[in-house]
Amino acid sequence: MTERRHGPRPRPDLDALSAHRPGKPDYAGSFVLAANENPYPPLPGVLETAVAAAGAFNRYPDMAVGELTAELARHVGVPAEHIATGPGSVGVAQSLVLALAGEGDEVLFAWRSFEAYPVITRIAGATPVSVPLTADGAHDLDAMLAAVTDRTRLIFVCNPNNPTGNALRRAELVRFLDAVPAHVLVVLDEAYREFVRDPDVPDGLALYRDRPHVCVLRTFSKAYGLAGLRVGYAIAHEPIASALRKTAVPFGVSQLAQDAAVASLRVEDALLERVETLVGERTRVTAALRAQGWTVAGSEANFVWLPLGDHSLDFAAACAEAGVVVRPFAGEGVRVTIGGQRADDVFLETAEVFRKRL
Ligand SMILES: *Cc1c(COP(=O)(O)O)cnc(C)c1O
């Protein structure tokens, strides 16, 4: 027998990453407000389309994702060549990093922000560079600009930011984009775009059009309720979009996901009505929390952020006890997805009791 130490050796730099834990926690009987999912079941037309597509899953999907790409191009008003799809916008983001950065290159992002950024950066062998958020949970764009070096290849800007819910306004973002060197790609991650109501928060599409170094990421996982099907997309100029099609995993978007996404775009009015209800819930939850004495920033996404610091884990435990799963970040705060009215009420009751103990 060959000795084990002579066996295959994964890249040592992967030691910085933690492996995905197998198994799924048992949330049976609880309201899950931990992953910013859409609480509604699929719309009838979307479900039927997906079921019909399932009847042919002995076949590979359309590798070029043609129908969805064409539908998206019409929908957002860009050339089809500017669209690249992938298994969730995380999948697209990973392809982006692989296409632009490697060993010795830097990928810049605010922190705390979306957890995938440092992970996909390391997978590409590049170096993550994080810039702390301001005290009120916003991107510190001046500090991010100051952190750009000759090695910076890509900057993620999460707008609105996950997990703080904060959104950048037009003037500050435009100033930033125009100050970033032309060789650096700025990725505007707009996973929560449909939940934005502040008219001063710009639509990334308007910013990308005349800026070749700007690209926009969108997903069907949040507002559109297709998180489990894994489909997201980038809108980018050439040559970024075509590089993305090179680094993507072949057949990464299943036919089920492609067809369900097309069907979702066709019933968008019904979907956006649900989003409107969730935005109403967001307003209600935010007001109730403030009335309880909490300091909560206004969120432009489908979650709220409680900056609980050292109480974060205790608060999450109290919520779990009451039957609500929330997302704590130890020592920082707790992110709570806006759910249905019942789920939100249970969360609010727990928050009220906890608040009085603080
Ligand atoms: C949820 C989320 C995504 C989307 O993930 P998918 O891979 O599309 O499910 C992307 N960016 C941010 C900031 C998110 O919160």
Side-chain angles (χ1 to χ4, degrees):
M1 277 268 282
T2 324
E3 281 184 63
R4 270 192 178 278
R5 63 194 155 85
H6 295 307
R9 289 275 299 137
R11 278 159 41 196
D13 61 307
L14 294 182
D15 291 348
L17 298 176
S18 50
H20 295 288
R21 283 179 299 271
K24 198 174 174 182
D26 183 11
Y27 291 149
S30 294
F31 292 114
V32 180
L33 302 180
N36 299 342
E37 294 151 337
N38 190 316
Y40 297 104
L43 281 170
V46 177
L47 185 59
E48 280 154 20
T49 303
V51 168
F57 64 36
N58 54 312
R59 304 291 178 192
Y60 284 108
D62 170 11
M63 191 172 182
V65 198
E67 194 188 356
L68 175 58
T69 303
E71 191 80 22
L72 280 170
R74 262 197 302 281
H75 189 76
V76 294
V78 306
E81 302 73 46
H82 283 202
I83 291 185
T85 56
S89 53
V90 169
V92 185
Q94 179 163 343
S95 299
L96 265 176
V97 176
L98 286 169
L100 280 115
E103 207 183 317
D105 296 331
E106 295 172 353
V107 175
L108 187 65
F109 45 83
W111 200 252
R112 178 169 286 277
S113 188
F114 188 39
E115 288 158 293
Y117 302 151
V119 176
I120 58 184
T121 300
R122 290 205 188 274
I123 289 172
T127 306
V129 177
S130 59
V131 174
L133 296 170
T134 64
D136 42 5
H139 279 65
D140 187 340
L141 293 180
D142 289 334
M144 289 178 75
L145 266 184
V148 172
T149 71
D150 289 348
R151 304 190 151 207
T152 309
R153 294 288 169 269
L154 197 143
I155 305 175
F156 282 105
V157 174
C158 190
N159 201 35
N161 189 48
N162 176 4
T164 55
N166 235 295
L168 291 160
R169 304 305 191 277
R170 187 171 291 102
E172 56 186 337
L173 189 52
V174 164
R175 199 169 56 87
F176 174 78
L177 295 178
D178 292 342
V180 168
H183 71 274
V184 179
L185 182 74
V186 181
V187 182
L188 300 176
D189 184 345
E190 297 190 331
Y192 302 97
R193 174 66 207 169
E194 296 83 358
F195 299 96
V196 170
R197 289 297 175 271
D198 181 341
D200 283 340
V201 175
D203 181 333
L205 281 171
L207 301 174
Y208 118 96
R209 284 188 202 277
D210 53 358
R211 290 181 184 82
H213 73 306
V214 174
C215 125
V216 179
L217 278 183
R218 298 265 174 98
T219 179
F220 284 93
S221 294
K222 306 290 159 57
Y224 288 83
L226 302 185
L229 287 182
R230 314 306 304 130
V231 53
Y233 58 102
I235 301 145
H237 292 266
E238 299 288 344
I240 303 299
S242 64
L244 268 178
R245 289 190 282 269
K246 293 177 190 169
T247 55
V249 173
F251 303 114
V253 185
S254 73
Q255 199 62 47
L256 222 116
Q258 295 184 33
D259 291 358
V262 169
S264 298
L265 290 170
R266 292 183 181 156
V267 293
E268 198 190 42
D269 289 350
L271 277 171
L272 294 183
E273 217 174 285
R274 292 172 159 193
V275 168
E276 196 55 41
T277 305
L278 290 170
V279 168
E281 269 297 280
R282 176 178 81 197
T283 307
R284 181 179 80 90
V285 168
T286 305
L289 287 169
R290 286 178 181 155
Q292 291 173 11
W294 294 94
T295 308
V296 248
S299 168
E300 292 292 326
N302 68 339
F303 51 84
V304 291
W305 171 250
L306 296 176
L308 270 155
D310 291 338
H311 301 291
S312 300
L313 295 182
D314 285 348
F315 181 77
C319 287
E321 186 80 6
V324 182
V325 186
V326 298
R327 182 65 214 279
F329 297 87
E332 294 174 62
V334 178
R335 191 192 67 201
V336 185
T337 306
I338 300 297
Q341 198 171 329
R342 284 238 303 128
D344 297 341
D345 281 342
V346 177
F347 156 64
L348 285 171
E349 283 158 25
T350 315
E352 184 164 30
V353 173
F354 196 91
R355 176 77 213 165
K356 290 180 180 145
R357 293 206 333 243
L358 281 178

